[in-house]
């Protein structure tokens, strides 16, 4: 898990240090204060380590980006740092990964390893950690790098945005060719995070995970869905027009399921969050405003599900919601503010923590406390 | 018709299910709320009970976790701050010794109805467990079940399956609640 994140420069974030991180960290601040930039800085750092989507564009990203983090991985701690600067002479990239066990330092295309005599030459476009793993697979130190890569690969960002549904889909149809294409693109790591396709994939390949989603959303869980049914229909005689049906039966409905887009927006969002949590097996979830469109009582349950899954899961979320704040501990909140174009992020001070405790003991709600602190 | 208040929304939802099971009347009206904290319940509980009375509720239950404190003092505090100001007569103050989850520990095997691969045994002394909520979450982590126990979601679900005779036998704090619900209306 991340124990410390230092954003030297990333969009509006400059000199941001987020320390003493725990299972849940909630970023609270006004619109435009830099909450999303903070999450994106974490996502960028992880993507730079693994070659994920966000790392593309080295050389096209303008300006200066520099982020580092301290990560606790089993019994060891390591620090990973990336600095990318675009200059007139092209991009400059510095990267380092330091732990008790190994030290890796990259300066441009040259990578120096403390466990290998010769420096390696790695293209600027290639992420450093995966490149070392493939170039020196026989070295024992590479196992450790593989663990760090696995950690960064399981950092996922969830805006929970949805595609625009021009009309409800009563059938929940997924053409066979679309599913096959999705499966074939999985290895690239650049697949669309489509909820019905993920559920279809889980029902075929990971039935235990599918059952977990059904259990969490069903009558014995959040009580949102009576059933998620998955069927295959062949519309032709020669199986050339195979269609998958992924249908959701809301709890209040007795018989007929419907397509995902026919569910209410809030239900879709909750289903998306639970499906993502189970499907991605994330080490770290970066979640934008989980509260949007979700009733306070359901939100309380969703947050508790995230909380009990912390360890190994770690959650960073942005929020404006009083219902979310009232579920948090004061130590879990970071206040985000913008001054003269720069984002700052801070914990509550000891004095504020005492004040919060006193306020809540006297019938104040934590959300009211946060609102007061943010008025500073 | 019952009006129920508790510290936590899941307390209210669980008690609602238990009341319906004890009376054997699934159509019984049970209204109420959870406050999110005991301080808030102590401040707003009386007002809430009056509102529930205005909604036509006739019997009232206040659930106030003892959290290891002296149950008698908790009862006195609930009487003074909630029941007294509400001026209601047909009421029961339920004081779980630690938290309501100790009732679940009494018949812990009931969770298998929700989590099929998790087969815990009934706890012999549930009211001696210091933090039953945390105990259940830890047990869930250590179990074979992929889904972890979340009290907000799963307490009311498990309440549907508890063997209430076992809970009655093992949890002294459950007895006044069940006896109150079983007795004829005043």
């Amino acid at each position: 898990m991340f124990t410390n994140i230092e954003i030297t420069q990333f969009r509006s974030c400059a000199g941001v240090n987020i320390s003493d991180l725990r299972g849940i960290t909630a970023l609270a601040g006004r619109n435009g204060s830099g909450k999303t930039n903070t999450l994106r800085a974490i996502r960028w750092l992880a993507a730079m380590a693994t070659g994920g989507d966000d790392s593309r564009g080295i050389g096209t990203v303008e300006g200066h980006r520099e982020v580092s983090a301290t990560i606790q991985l089993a019994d060891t701690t390591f620090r990973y740092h990336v600095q990318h600067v675009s200059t007139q002479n092209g991009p400059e990239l510095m990267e380092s990964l330091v732990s008790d066990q190994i030290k890796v330092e990259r300066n441009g295309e040259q990578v120096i390893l403390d466990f290998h005599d010769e420096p390696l030459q790695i293209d600027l476009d290639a992420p450093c950690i995966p490149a070392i793993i493939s170039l020196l697979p026989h070295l024992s130190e590479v196992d450790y790098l593989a663990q760090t890569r696995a950690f960064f690969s399981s950092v996922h960002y969830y805006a929970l945005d949805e595609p625009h549904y021009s009309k409800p889909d009563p059938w929940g149809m997924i053409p066979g060719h679309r599913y096959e294409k999705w499966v074939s693109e999985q290895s690239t790591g650049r697949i669309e995070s489509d909820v019905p396709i993920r559920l279809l994939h889980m029902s075929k390949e990971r039935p235990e995970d599918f059952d977990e989603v059904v259990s969490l959303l069903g009558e014995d869980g959040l009580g949102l869905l009576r059933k998620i049914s998955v069927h295959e229909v062949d519309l032709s005689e020669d199986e050339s027009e195979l269609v998958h049906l992924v249908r959701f039966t809301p709890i209040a409905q007795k018989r007929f399921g419907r397509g995902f887009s026919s569910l209410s927006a809030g239900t879709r969002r909750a289903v998306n969050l639970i499906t993502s949590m189970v499907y991605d097996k994330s080490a770290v979830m970066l979640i934008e405003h989980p509260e949007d469109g979700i009733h306070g009582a359901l939100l309380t349950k969703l947050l508790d599900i995230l909380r009990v899954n912390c360890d190994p899961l770690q959650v960073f979320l942005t929020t404006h919601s009083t219902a979310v704040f009232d579920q948090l501990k004061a130590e879990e909140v970071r206040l985000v503010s913008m001054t003269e174009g720069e984002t700052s992020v801070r914990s509550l001070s000891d004095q504020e923590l005492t004040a919060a405790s006193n306020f809540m003991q006297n019938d104040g709600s934590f959300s009211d406390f946060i609102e007061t602190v943010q008025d500073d | 018709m019952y009006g129920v208040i508790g510290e936590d929304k899941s307390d209210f939802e669980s008690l609602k299910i238990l009341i319906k099971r004890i009376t054997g009347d699934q159509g019984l009206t049970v209204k109420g709320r959870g406050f999110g904290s005991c301080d808030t319940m102590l401040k707003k509980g009386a007002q809430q009970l009056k509102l529930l009375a205005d909604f036509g509720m006739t019997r009232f239950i206040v659930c106030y976790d003892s959290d290891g404190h002296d149950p008698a003092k908790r009862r006195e505090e609930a009487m003074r701050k909630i029941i007294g100001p509400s001026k209601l007569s047909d009421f029961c103050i339920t004081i779980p010794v630690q938290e309501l989850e100790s009732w679940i520990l009494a018949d812990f095997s009931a969770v298998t109805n929700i989590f099929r691969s998790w087969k815990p045994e009934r706890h012999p002394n549930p009211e001696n467990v210091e933090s039953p909520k945390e105990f259940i979450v830890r047990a869930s982590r250590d179990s074979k079940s992929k889904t972890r126990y979340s009290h907000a979601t799963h307490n009311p679900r498990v309440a549907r399956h508890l063997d209430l005779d076992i809970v009655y036998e093992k949890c002294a704090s459950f007895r006044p609640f069940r006896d109150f619900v079983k007795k004829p209306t005043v």
Side-chain angles (χ1 to χ4, degrees), chain A residues 208-209 212 216 219-223 281 301 304 308-312 361-363, chain B residues 9 13 39-40 43-44 113-114 141 146-154 157 160:
Chain A
E208 280 190 4
D209 290 338
E212 186 182 0
L216 282 168
E219 285 178 278
D220 286 339
L222 296 170
K281 299 185 184 300
K301 293 177 180 177
D304 198 59
V308 297
N309 280 283
C310 284
D311 181 21
Q361 276 177 11
N362 288 295
D363 196 26
Chain B
K9 173 97 173 155
E13 290 181 349
D39 296 315
T40 309
K43 290 268 166 66
K44 297 183 176 173
N113 291 282
I114 312 295
R141 269 185 202 154
K146 287 174 68 68
T147 309
R148 288 193 182 170
Y149 194 95
S150 161
H151 77 278
T153 298
H154 295 119
R157 308 301 185 214
R160 290 178 191 158

mmCIF file of all heavy atoms in Angstrom, chain A residues 208-209 212 216 219-223 281 301 304 308-312 361-363, chain B residues 9 13 39-40 43-44 113-114 141 146-154 157 160:
data_model
loop_
_atom_site.group_PDB
_atom_site.id
_atom_site.type_symbol
_atom_site.label_atom_id
_atom_site.label_comp_id
_atom_site.label_asym_id
_atom_site.label_seq_id
_atom_site.Cartn_x
_atom_site.Cartn_y
_atom_site.Cartn_z
ATOM 1 N N GLU A 208 -16.436 -17.885 -9.588
ATOM 2 C CA GLU A 208 -16.466 -17.526 -8.156
ATOM 3 C C GLU A 208 -16.579 -16.018 -7.982
ATOM 4 O O GLU A 208 -17.271 -15.529 -7.084
ATOM 5 C CB GLU A 208 -15.198 -18.014 -7.466
ATOM 6 C CG GLU A 208 -15.230 -19.479 -7.124
ATOM 7 C CD GLU A 208 -14.072 -19.859 -6.223
ATOM 8 O OE1 GLU A 208 -13.304 -18.965 -5.819
ATOM 9 O OE2 GLU A 208 -13.941 -21.051 -5.933
ATOM 10 N N ASP A 209 -15.866 -15.273 -8.827
ATOM 11 C CA ASP A 209 -15.944 -13.810 -8.756
ATOM 12 C C ASP A 209 -17.333 -13.327 -9.181
ATOM 13 O O ASP A 209 -17.881 -12.379 -8.606
ATOM 14 C CB ASP A 209 -14.862 -13.170 -9.639
ATOM 15 C CG ASP A 209 -13.471 -13.381 -9.065
ATOM 16 O OD1 ASP A 209 -13.373 -13.629 -7.851
ATOM 17 O OD2 ASP A 209 -12.486 -13.298 -9.827
ATOM 18 N N GLU A 212 -19.575 -13.724 -6.420
ATOM 19 C CA GLU A 212 -19.349 -12.723 -5.375
ATOM 20 C C GLU A 212 -20.076 -11.416 -5.714
ATOM 21 O O GLU A 212 -20.704 -10.797 -4.852
ATOM 22 C CB GLU A 212 -17.846 -12.450 -5.204
ATOM 23 C CG GLU A 212 -17.577 -11.516 -4.025
ATOM 24 C CD GLU A 212 -16.117 -11.167 -3.840
ATOM 25 O OE1 GLU A 212 -15.275 -11.642 -4.627
ATOM 26 O OE2 GLU A 212 -15.834 -10.380 -2.910
ATOM 27 N N LEU A 216 -23.009 -9.762 -3.530
ATOM 28 C CA LEU A 216 -22.927 -8.413 -2.955
ATOM 29 C C LEU A 216 -24.080 -7.520 -3.413
ATOM 30 O O LEU A 216 -24.535 -6.656 -2.675
ATOM 31 C CB LEU A 216 -21.593 -7.764 -3.334
ATOM 32 C CG LEU A 216 -20.389 -8.238 -2.528
ATOM 33 C CD1 LEU A 216 -19.078 -7.769 -3.154
ATOM 34 C CD2 LEU A 216 -20.473 -7.722 -1.090
ATOM 35 N N GLU A 219 -30.061 -10.082 -2.970
ATOM 36 C CA GLU A 219 -30.926 -9.974 -1.788
ATOM 37 C C GLU A 219 -30.161 -10.159 -0.483
ATOM 38 O O GLU A 219 -30.542 -9.611 0.541
ATOM 39 C CB GLU A 219 -32.041 -11.022 -1.874
ATOM 40 C CG GLU A 219 -33.106 -10.645 -2.875
ATOM 41 C CD GLU A 219 -34.172 -11.715 -2.985
ATOM 42 O OE1 GLU A 219 -33.927 -12.696 -3.712
ATOM 43 O OE2 GLU A 219 -35.225 -11.559 -2.359
ATOM 44 N N ASP A 220 -29.087 -10.947 -0.524
ATOM 45 C CA ASP A 220 -28.291 -11.156 0.687
ATOM 46 C C ASP A 220 -27.207 -10.101 0.846
ATOM 47 O O ASP A 220 -26.388 -10.172 1.765
ATOM 48 C CB ASP A 220 -27.633 -12.545 0.657
ATOM 49 C CG ASP A 220 -28.656 -13.633 0.921
ATOM 50 O OD1 ASP A 220 -29.707 -13.323 1.503
ATOM 51 O OD2 ASP A 220 -28.404 -14.779 0.522
ATOM 52 N N GLY A 221 -27.162 -9.164 -0.087
ATOM 53 C CA GLY A 221 -26.153 -8.112 -0.018
ATOM 54 C C GLY A 221 -26.818 -6.750 -0.008
ATOM 55 O O GLY A 221 -27.615 -6.445 0.886
ATOM 56 N N LEU A 222 -26.516 -5.936 -0.997
ATOM 57 C CA LEU A 222 -27.033 -4.568 -1.024
ATOM 58 C C LEU A 222 -28.514 -4.501 -1.375
ATOM 59 O O LEU A 222 -29.130 -3.435 -1.255
ATOM 60 C CB LEU A 222 -26.224 -3.728 -2.021
ATOM 61 C CG LEU A 222 -24.749 -3.548 -1.646
ATOM 62 C CD1 LEU A 222 -23.967 -2.912 -2.792
ATOM 63 C CD2 LEU A 222 -24.608 -2.688 -0.394
ATOM 64 N N GLY A 223 -29.076 -5.605 -1.828
ATOM 65 C CA GLY A 223 -30.502 -5.625 -2.124
ATOM 66 C C GLY A 223 -30.880 -4.803 -3.339
ATOM 67 O O GLY A 223 -31.963 -4.225 -3.392
ATOM 68 N N LYS A 281 -9.550 -6.756 -8.898
ATOM 69 C CA LYS A 281 -8.713 -7.209 -7.785
ATOM 70 C C LYS A 281 -7.654 -6.145 -7.475
ATOM 71 O O LYS A 281 -6.454 -6.433 -7.367
ATOM 72 C CB LYS A 281 -8.036 -8.538 -8.109
ATOM 73 C CG LYS A 281 -9.012 -9.675 -8.364
ATOM 74 C CD LYS A 281 -8.285 -10.980 -8.569
ATOM 75 C CE LYS A 281 -9.219 -12.121 -8.925
ATOM 76 N NZ LYS A 281 -10.247 -12.412 -7.922
ATOM 77 N N LYS A 301 -23.609 1.649 2.969
ATOM 78 C CA LYS A 301 -23.289 0.233 2.827
ATOM 79 C C LYS A 301 -22.122 0.032 1.857
ATOM 80 O O LYS A 301 -21.235 -0.793 2.096
ATOM 81 C CB LYS A 301 -24.524 -0.536 2.346
ATOM 82 C CG LYS A 301 -25.632 -0.565 3.378
ATOM 83 C CD LYS A 301 -26.874 -1.252 2.866
ATOM 84 C CE LYS A 301 -27.956 -1.246 3.940
ATOM 85 N NZ LYS A 301 -29.195 -1.831 3.472
ATOM 86 N N ASP A 304 -18.913 0.856 3.567
ATOM 87 C CA ASP A 304 -18.500 -0.165 4.535
ATOM 88 C C ASP A 304 -17.948 -1.396 3.809
ATOM 89 O O ASP A 304 -17.014 -2.025 4.303
ATOM 90 C CB ASP A 304 -19.659 -0.556 5.461
ATOM 91 C CG ASP A 304 -19.139 -1.259 6.710
ATOM 92 O OD1 ASP A 304 -18.332 -0.643 7.440
ATOM 93 O OD2 ASP A 304 -19.479 -2.433 6.922
ATOM 94 N N VAL A 308 -14.283 -2.787 4.683
ATOM 95 C CA VAL A 308 -13.924 -4.130 5.174
ATOM 96 C C VAL A 308 -13.001 -4.851 4.191
ATOM 97 O O VAL A 308 -12.367 -5.823 4.547
ATOM 98 C CB VAL A 308 -15.155 -5.020 5.492
ATOM 99 C CG1 VAL A 308 -15.973 -4.411 6.599
ATOM 100 C CG2 VAL A 308 -16.004 -5.289 4.262
ATOM 101 N N ASN A 309 -12.959 -4.351 2.954
ATOM 102 C CA ASN A 309 -12.035 -4.962 1.995
ATOM 103 C C ASN A 309 -10.661 -4.300 2.005
ATOM 104 O O ASN A 309 -9.757 -4.748 1.292
ATOM 105 C CB ASN A 309 -12.633 -4.939 0.589
ATOM 106 C CG ASN A 309 -13.633 -6.064 0.411
ATOM 107 O OD1 ASN A 309 -13.245 -7.218 0.231
ATOM 108 N ND2 ASN A 309 -14.914 -5.758 0.529
ATOM 109 N N CYS A 310 -10.521 -3.202 2.766
ATOM 110 C CA CYS A 310 -9.196 -2.584 2.905
ATOM 111 C C CYS A 310 -8.291 -3.583 3.638
ATOM 112 O O CYS A 310 -8.737 -4.267 4.552
ATOM 113 C CB CYS A 310 -9.282 -1.281 3.691
ATOM 114 S SG CYS A 310 -9.945 0.045 2.692
ATOM 115 N N ASP A 311 -7.026 -3.584 3.241
ATOM 116 C CA ASP A 311 -6.130 -4.634 3.671
ATOM 117 C C ASP A 311 -6.542 -5.934 3.012
ATOM 118 O O ASP A 311 -7.312 -6.701 3.596
ATOM 119 C CB ASP A 311 -6.097 -4.803 5.193
ATOM 120 C CG ASP A 311 -5.122 -5.905 5.610
ATOM 121 O OD1 ASP A 311 -4.223 -6.222 4.812
ATOM 122 O OD2 ASP A 311 -5.284 -6.448 6.720
ATOM 123 N N PRO A 312 -6.134 -6.204 1.798
ATOM 124 C CA PRO A 312 -5.078 -5.480 1.112
ATOM 125 C C PRO A 312 -5.529 -4.252 0.310
ATOM 126 O O PRO A 312 -4.692 -3.487 -0.143
ATOM 127 C CB PRO A 312 -4.541 -6.537 0.134
ATOM 128 C CG PRO A 312 -5.735 -7.349 -0.216
ATOM 129 C CD PRO A 312 -6.591 -7.360 1.009
ATOM 130 N N GLN A 361 -18.818 14.960 19.699
ATOM 131 C CA GLN A 361 -19.361 14.538 20.988
ATOM 132 C C GLN A 361 -20.523 15.423 21.420
ATOM 133 O O GLN A 361 -21.320 15.058 22.258
ATOM 134 C CB GLN A 361 -18.285 14.569 22.061
ATOM 135 C CG GLN A 361 -17.454 13.294 22.049
ATOM 136 C CD GLN A 361 -16.333 13.340 23.053
ATOM 137 O OE1 GLN A 361 -16.276 14.221 23.898
ATOM 138 N NE2 GLN A 361 -15.417 12.399 22.933
ATOM 139 N N ASN A 362 -20.565 16.616 20.834
ATOM 140 C CA ASN A 362 -21.648 17.541 21.171
ATOM 141 C C ASN A 362 -22.651 17.634 20.031
ATOM 142 O O ASN A 362 -23.139 18.709 19.704
ATOM 143 C CB ASN A 362 -21.081 18.919 21.510
ATOM 144 C CG ASN A 362 -20.377 18.910 22.837
ATOM 145 O OD1 ASN A 362 -20.994 18.698 23.876
ATOM 146 N ND2 ASN A 362 -19.070 19.080 22.797
ATOM 147 N N ASP A 363 -22.877 16.481 19.395
ATOM 148 C CA ASP A 363 -23.951 16.374 18.411
ATOM 149 C C ASP A 363 -23.616 16.988 17.049
ATOM 150 O O ASP A 363 -24.476 17.095 16.190
ATOM 151 C CB ASP A 363 -25.231 17.030 18.971
ATOM 152 C CG ASP A 363 -26.438 16.610 18.185
ATOM 153 O OD1 ASP A 363 -26.400 15.511 17.594
ATOM 154 O OD2 ASP A 363 -27.408 17.385 18.141
ATOM 155 N N LYS B 9 -27.772 2.531 11.545
ATOM 156 C CA LYS B 9 -28.870 2.157 10.646
ATOM 157 C C LYS B 9 -29.041 0.633 10.590
ATOM 158 O O LYS B 9 -30.157 0.120 10.522
ATOM 159 C CB LYS B 9 -28.546 2.706 9.250
ATOM 160 C CG LYS B 9 -29.482 2.279 8.165
ATOM 161 C CD LYS B 9 -30.546 3.305 7.896
ATOM 162 C CE LYS B 9 -31.368 2.926 6.677
ATOM 163 N NZ LYS B 9 -32.689 3.516 6.704
ATOM 164 N N GLU B 13 -32.333 -1.787 11.163
ATOM 165 C CA GLU B 13 -32.784 -2.745 10.145
ATOM 166 C C GLU B 13 -32.809 -4.178 10.702
ATOM 167 O O GLU B 13 -33.700 -4.959 10.376
ATOM 168 C CB GLU B 13 -31.883 -2.676 8.908
ATOM 169 C CG GLU B 13 -32.077 -1.380 8.127
ATOM 170 C CD GLU B 13 -31.211 -1.302 6.878
ATOM 171 O OE1 GLU B 13 -30.315 -2.155 6.717
ATOM 172 O OE2 GLU B 13 -31.421 -0.379 6.081
ATOM 173 N N ASP B 39 -24.079 9.640 20.506
ATOM 174 C CA ASP B 39 -24.306 11.024 20.960
ATOM 175 C C ASP B 39 -25.498 11.649 20.240
ATOM 176 O O ASP B 39 -26.328 12.317 20.846
ATOM 177 C CB ASP B 39 -23.052 11.869 20.721
ATOM 178 C CG ASP B 39 -21.886 11.374 21.560
ATOM 179 O OD1 ASP B 39 -22.098 11.115 22.744
ATOM 180 O OD2 ASP B 39 -20.781 11.242 21.008
ATOM 181 N N THR B 40 -25.549 11.410 18.939
ATOM 182 C CA THR B 40 -26.656 11.973 18.172
ATOM 183 C C THR B 40 -27.976 11.343 18.602
ATOM 184 O O THR B 40 -29.003 12.025 18.719
ATOM 185 C CB THR B 40 -26.422 11.738 16.660
ATOM 186 O OG1 THR B 40 -25.109 12.179 16.332
ATOM 187 C CG2 THR B 40 -27.430 12.495 15.820
ATOM 188 N N LYS B 43 -29.156 12.873 21.724
ATOM 189 C CA LYS B 43 -29.647 14.248 21.530
ATOM 190 C C LYS B 43 -30.989 14.283 20.799
ATOM 191 O O LYS B 43 -31.856 15.083 21.108
ATOM 192 C CB LYS B 43 -28.620 15.038 20.713
ATOM 193 C CG LYS B 43 -27.328 15.330 21.463
ATOM 194 C CD LYS B 43 -27.422 16.673 22.170
ATOM 195 C CE LYS B 43 -26.323 16.859 23.196
ATOM 196 N NZ LYS B 43 -24.993 16.935 22.669
ATOM 197 N N LYS B 44 -31.120 13.431 19.801
ATOM 198 C CA LYS B 44 -32.289 13.544 18.929
ATOM 199 C C LYS B 44 -33.310 12.425 19.118
ATOM 200 O O LYS B 44 -34.348 12.432 18.465
ATOM 201 C CB LYS B 44 -31.829 13.553 17.464
ATOM 202 C CG LYS B 44 -30.951 14.747 17.118
ATOM 203 C CD LYS B 44 -30.589 14.765 15.649
ATOM 204 C CE LYS B 44 -29.798 16.022 15.307
ATOM 205 N NZ LYS B 44 -29.294 15.994 13.921
ATOM 206 N N ASN B 113 -25.793 -19.091 5.812
ATOM 207 C CA ASN B 113 -26.926 -18.885 4.909
ATOM 208 C C ASN B 113 -26.646 -17.791 3.888
ATOM 209 O O ASN B 113 -27.257 -17.742 2.823
ATOM 210 C CB ASN B 113 -28.181 -18.490 5.708
ATOM 211 C CG ASN B 113 -28.695 -19.641 6.544
ATOM 212 O OD1 ASN B 113 -29.332 -20.538 6.023
ATOM 213 N ND2 ASN B 113 -28.387 -19.627 7.834
ATOM 214 N N ILE B 114 -25.734 -16.892 4.222
ATOM 215 C CA ILE B 114 -25.409 -15.784 3.319
ATOM 216 C C ILE B 114 -24.079 -16.051 2.613
ATOM 217 O O ILE B 114 -23.924 -15.755 1.433
ATOM 218 C CB ILE B 114 -25.292 -14.448 4.109
ATOM 219 C CG1 ILE B 114 -26.500 -14.261 5.042
ATOM 220 C CG2 ILE B 114 -25.111 -13.260 3.174
ATOM 221 C CD1 ILE B 114 -27.809 -14.096 4.343
ATOM 222 N N ARG B 141 -12.427 -12.300 7.153
ATOM 223 C CA ARG B 141 -11.156 -12.223 6.420
ATOM 224 C C ARG B 141 -10.443 -13.567 6.410
ATOM 225 O O ARG B 141 -9.837 -13.950 5.418
ATOM 226 C CB ARG B 141 -10.221 -11.217 7.094
ATOM 227 C CG ARG B 141 -10.371 -9.836 6.555
ATOM 228 C CD ARG B 141 -9.347 -8.913 7.158
ATOM 229 N NE ARG B 141 -9.851 -7.561 7.013
ATOM 230 C CZ ARG B 141 -9.535 -6.551 7.780
ATOM 231 N NH1 ARG B 141 -8.697 -6.717 8.756
ATOM 232 N NH2 ARG B 141 -10.042 -5.360 7.557
ATOM 233 N N LYS B 146 -15.011 -15.416 -0.253
ATOM 234 C CA LYS B 146 -14.377 -14.303 -0.960
ATOM 235 C C LYS B 146 -14.998 -12.977 -0.523
ATOM 236 O O LYS B 146 -14.344 -11.956 -0.455
ATOM 237 C CB LYS B 146 -14.567 -14.466 -2.472
ATOM 238 C CG LYS B 146 -13.708 -15.583 -3.061
ATOM 239 C CD LYS B 146 -14.038 -15.813 -4.518
ATOM 240 C CE LYS B 146 -13.628 -14.662 -5.394
ATOM 241 N NZ LYS B 146 -12.189 -14.493 -5.503
ATOM 242 N N THR B 147 -16.300 -13.026 -0.256
ATOM 243 C CA THR B 147 -16.993 -11.803 0.147
ATOM 244 C C THR B 147 -16.761 -11.549 1.630
ATOM 245 O O THR B 147 -16.889 -12.463 2.439
ATOM 246 C CB THR B 147 -18.510 -11.944 -0.100
ATOM 247 O OG1 THR B 147 -18.712 -12.376 -1.429
ATOM 248 C CG2 THR B 147 -19.215 -10.622 0.123
ATOM 249 N N ARG B 148 -16.407 -10.331 1.950
ATOM 250 C CA ARG B 148 -16.171 -10.014 3.358
ATOM 251 C C ARG B 148 -17.435 -9.485 4.031
ATOM 252 O O ARG B 148 -18.270 -8.863 3.389
ATOM 253 C CB ARG B 148 -15.049 -8.973 3.468
ATOM 254 C CG ARG B 148 -13.707 -9.595 3.131
ATOM 255 C CD ARG B 148 -12.577 -8.704 3.534
ATOM 256 N NE ARG B 148 -11.307 -9.291 3.173
ATOM 257 C CZ ARG B 148 -10.173 -8.643 3.240
ATOM 258 N NH1 ARG B 148 -10.136 -7.394 3.650
ATOM 259 N NH2 ARG B 148 -9.056 -9.235 2.907
ATOM 260 N N TYR B 149 -17.491 -9.728 5.314
ATOM 261 C CA TYR B 149 -18.665 -9.316 6.087
ATOM 262 C C TYR B 149 -18.656 -7.804 6.288
ATOM 263 O O TYR B 149 -17.682 -7.225 6.761
ATOM 264 C CB TYR B 149 -18.652 -10.019 7.444
ATOM 265 C CG TYR B 149 -19.958 -9.929 8.178
ATOM 266 C CD1 TYR B 149 -20.888 -10.947 8.084
ATOM 267 C CD2 TYR B 149 -20.275 -8.826 8.949
ATOM 268 C CE1 TYR B 149 -22.097 -10.876 8.751
ATOM 269 C CE2 TYR B 149 -21.477 -8.739 9.625
ATOM 270 C CZ TYR B 149 -22.387 -9.773 9.524
ATOM 271 O OH TYR B 149 -23.580 -9.688 10.181
ATOM 272 N N SER B 150 -19.748 -7.178 5.920
ATOM 273 C CA SER B 150 -19.916 -5.742 6.160
ATOM 274 C C SER B 150 -21.158 -5.575 7.019
ATOM 275 O O SER B 150 -22.262 -5.920 6.582
ATOM 276 C CB SER B 150 -20.080 -5.020 4.815
ATOM 277 O OG SER B 150 -20.662 -3.758 5.010
ATOM 278 N N HIS B 151 -20.995 -5.063 8.224
ATOM 279 C CA HIS B 151 -22.144 -5.037 9.143
ATOM 280 C C HIS B 151 -23.315 -4.254 8.561
ATOM 281 O O HIS B 151 -24.477 -4.621 8.739
ATOM 282 C CB HIS B 151 -21.736 -4.471 10.511
ATOM 283 C CG HIS B 151 -21.586 -2.987 10.543
ATOM 284 N ND1 HIS B 151 -20.448 -2.345 10.122
ATOM 285 C CD2 HIS B 151 -22.449 -2.016 10.911
ATOM 286 C CE1 HIS B 151 -20.617 -1.042 10.256
ATOM 287 N NE2 HIS B 151 -21.817 -0.812 10.729
ATOM 288 N N ALA B 152 -23.001 -3.156 7.866
ATOM 289 C CA ALA B 152 -24.075 -2.306 7.333
ATOM 290 C C ALA B 152 -24.960 -3.080 6.362
ATOM 291 O O ALA B 152 -26.171 -2.886 6.309
ATOM 292 C CB ALA B 152 -23.475 -1.084 6.645
ATOM 293 N N THR B 153 -24.360 -3.975 5.611
ATOM 294 C CA THR B 153 -25.123 -4.747 4.630
ATOM 295 C C THR B 153 -25.611 -6.066 5.211
ATOM 296 O O THR B 153 -26.766 -6.455 5.014
ATOM 297 C CB THR B 153 -24.220 -5.040 3.401
ATOM 298 O OG1 THR B 153 -23.861 -3.800 2.811
ATOM 299 C CG2 THR B 153 -24.944 -5.905 2.383
ATOM 300 N N HIS B 154 -24.743 -6.748 5.934
ATOM 301 C CA HIS B 154 -25.039 -8.141 6.240
ATOM 302 C C HIS B 154 -25.734 -8.394 7.578
ATOM 303 O O HIS B 154 -26.362 -9.440 7.741
ATOM 304 C CB HIS B 154 -23.743 -8.967 6.143
ATOM 305 C CG HIS B 154 -23.191 -8.998 4.743
ATOM 306 N ND1 HIS B 154 -21.953 -8.503 4.403
ATOM 307 C CD2 HIS B 154 -23.735 -9.427 3.579
ATOM 308 C CE1 HIS B 154 -21.759 -8.654 3.099
ATOM 309 N NE2 HIS B 154 -22.819 -9.204 2.576
ATOM 310 N N ARG B 157 -29.288 -9.072 6.997
ATOM 311 C CA ARG B 157 -29.455 -10.309 6.211
ATOM 312 C C ARG B 157 -29.306 -11.532 7.111
ATOM 313 O O ARG B 157 -30.060 -12.497 7.009
ATOM 314 C CB ARG B 157 -28.402 -10.390 5.094
ATOM 315 C CG ARG B 157 -28.303 -9.176 4.205
ATOM 316 C CD ARG B 157 -29.612 -8.868 3.499
ATOM 317 N NE ARG B 157 -29.456 -7.780 2.565
ATOM 318 C CZ ARG B 157 -30.396 -6.880 2.292
ATOM 319 N NH1 ARG B 157 -31.571 -6.947 2.908
ATOM 320 N NH2 ARG B 157 -30.184 -5.935 1.411
ATOM 321 N N ARG B 160 -32.202 -12.546 9.588
ATOM 322 C CA ARG B 160 -33.300 -13.379 9.073
ATOM 323 C C ARG B 160 -33.121 -14.847 9.439
ATOM 324 O O ARG B 160 -34.066 -15.618 9.458
ATOM 325 C CB ARG B 160 -33.317 -13.331 7.538
ATOM 326 C CG ARG B 160 -33.730 -12.030 6.928
ATOM 327 C CD ARG B 160 -33.624 -12.211 5.415
ATOM 328 N NE ARG B 160 -33.739 -10.952 4.714
ATOM 329 C CZ ARG B 160 -33.280 -10.760 3.476
ATOM 330 N NH1 ARG B 160 -32.668 -11.739 2.841
ATOM 331 N NH2 ARG B 160 -33.425 -9.603 2.900
#
